[in-house]
């Protein structure tokens, strides 16, 4: 039975002379693997719609070990991602993170929408890369069920100190005073905390609508990455390269 779905190509692996195996993120079915026969040939009907980061309308048929791409029509190909090494590296990291948290057979509409919006912002350069990165990381964890408690200090409830300690393993917040009591150094300022709260608690379409000084935004971006790696207990291969091109 054929399956019609929209989807974003997160990964492509060449097999044989001109075939590709695709990892596709779909809204209704989560992650799917599909074989795109002869899709690397320029004249093949699948060529334009099955490349990396192509968002397309797919017609798939079940095969022995994976789906077979029968038809694919491009919706958005995100050419702009390839305009800079930094943008491409960030997109590769986002794709790996999405492929890590998404599950086969489970709904992934919000994750797909977040990824498409992030790719658009990278390509159009409407927001700083560190800001796009932090929002995607935190919202992705939120979508996967890893919601930190950052309304106030987990010990006394205070949210009024100038600095805080965000515990990466527990996803909990300590005010400056309570952090000192347990011998933990502050790692987030009040302005960074406010930005983090906005990213997580606002409506998805408003998550990027905030401003933060570049140095503070870069620091928050690094903290978000540490939180992702801690919560998922995973080191991303694409992150190693990303950290060499985005300081």
């Amino acid at each position: 039975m054929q399956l019609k779905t929209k989807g974003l190509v997160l990964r492509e692996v060449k097999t044989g002379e001109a075939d590709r195996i695709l990892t596709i993120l779909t809204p209704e079915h989560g992650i799917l693997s599909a074989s795109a026969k002869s899709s690397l040939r320029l004249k093949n009907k699948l060529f334009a719609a099955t490349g990396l980061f192509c968002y397309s309308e797919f017609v798939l048929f079940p095969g022995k070990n994976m789906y077979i791409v029968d038809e694919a029509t491009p919706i958005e190909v995100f050419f702009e991602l390839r305009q800079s090494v930094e943008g491409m590296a960030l997109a590769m990291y986002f794709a790996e993170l999405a492929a890590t948290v998404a599950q086969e057979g489970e709904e992934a509409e919000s994750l797909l929408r977040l990824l498409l919006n992030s790719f658009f912002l990278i390509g159009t350069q409407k927001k700083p890369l560190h800001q796009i990165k932090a929002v995607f990381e935190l919202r992705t964890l939120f979508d996967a069920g890893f919601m930190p408690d950052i309304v106030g200090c987990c010990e006394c409830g205070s949210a009024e100190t100038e600095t805080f300690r965000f515990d990466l393993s527990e996803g909990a917040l300590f005010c400056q005073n309570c952090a000192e009591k347990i011998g933990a150094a502050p790692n987030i300022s009040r302005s960074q905390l406010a930005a983090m709260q906005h990213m997580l608690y606002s409506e998805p379409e408003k998550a990027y609508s905030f401003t933060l000084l570049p140095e503070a935004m870069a620091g928050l971006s690094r903290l978000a990455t540490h939180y992702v790696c801690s919560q998922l207990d995973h080191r991303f291969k694409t992150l190693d390269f990303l950290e060499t091109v985005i300081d």
Side-chain angles (χ1 to χ4, degrees):
M1 182 177 180
Q2 72 176 21
L3 173 66
K4 293 184 178 180
T5 182
K6 294 178 180 178
L8 179 67
V9 178
L10 300 182
R11 186 185 301 130
E12 59 174 357
V13 177
K14 180 182 177 182
T15 60
E17 292 187 1
D19 300 343
R20 282 186 285 203
I21 294 177
L22 310 178
T23 300
I24 306 171
L25 180 65
T26 70
E28 306 95 343
H29 309 285
I31 288 287
L32 298 177
S33 294
S35 174
K37 302 290 186 181
S38 301
S39 61
L40 284 171
R41 302 188 190 281
L42 289 174
K43 295 184 178 180
N44 188 274
K45 63 179 182 179
L46 301 179
F47 178 81
T50 55
L52 185 64
F53 303 148
C54 283
Y55 178 52
S56 303
E57 184 85 45
F58 292 95
V59 177
L60 309 173
F61 284 92
K64 184 177 181 180
N65 299 311
M66 66 185 69
Y67 284 96
I68 307 297
V69 181
D70 184 58
E71 298 178 24
T73 304
I75 300 171
E76 177 58 64
V77 294
F78 292 107
F79 280 128
E80 296 84 358
L81 293 176
R82 295 162 176 79
Q83 291 179 348
S84 72
V85 174
E86 296 86 351
M88 191 65 179
L90 189 57
M92 293 290 291
Y93 169 55
F94 286 178
E96 186 182 1
L97 176 52
T100 300
V101 301
Q103 300 294 320
E104 184 177 353
E106 295 186 6
E107 182 271 336
E109 184 174 357
S110 60
L111 177 58
L112 176 59
R113 184 168 60 249
L114 177 65
L115 194 52
L116 293 172
N117 289 340
S118 299
F119 280 3
F120 171 78
L121 290 173
I122 294 172
T124 57
Q125 302 179 13
K126 289 184 177 292
K127 295 290 182 181
L129 293 184
H130 278 302
Q131 186 168 349
I132 301 170
K133 174 177 165 291
V135 172
F136 183 80
E137 289 172 317
L138 293 174
R139 296 290 304 201
T140 296
L141 283 193
F142 169 78
D143 188 64
F146 299 92
M147 183 62 174
D149 183 2
I150 55 172
V151 174
C153 177
C154 64
E155 292 292 332
C156 70
S158 174
E160 300 303 320
T161 56
E162 291 302 315
T163 59
F164 299 83
R165 175 73 184 187
F166 178 60
D167 186 282
L168 299 173
S169 60
E170 299 297 329
L173 191 71
F174 293 85
C175 70
Q176 184 175 330
N177 297 329
C178 291
E180 290 176 356
K181 291 178 182 179
I182 62 172
N187 60 359
I188 186 171
S189 69
R190 182 188 286 190
S191 63
Q192 289 173 315
L193 175 60
M196 192 174 179
Q197 291 169 335
H198 177 85
M199 294 182 210
L200 288 168
Y201 300 148
S202 64
E203 294 297 320
E205 62 273 13
K206 298 180 180 179
Y208 295 95
S209 301
F210 68 94
T211 57
L212 202 60
L213 292 175
E215 185 176 349
M217 189 66 253
L220 185 55
S221 173
R222 289 190 293 270
L223 187 68
T225 299
H226 293 322
Y227 182 56
V228 166
C229 294
S230 175
Q231 291 295 307
L232 299 180
D233 192 22
H234 184 81
R235 180 65 186 184
F236 299 88
K237 295 179 180 179
T238 50
L239 188 57
D240 294 330
F241 177 66
L242 176 63
E243 291 177 343
T244 68
V245 297
I246 299 181
D247 53 24

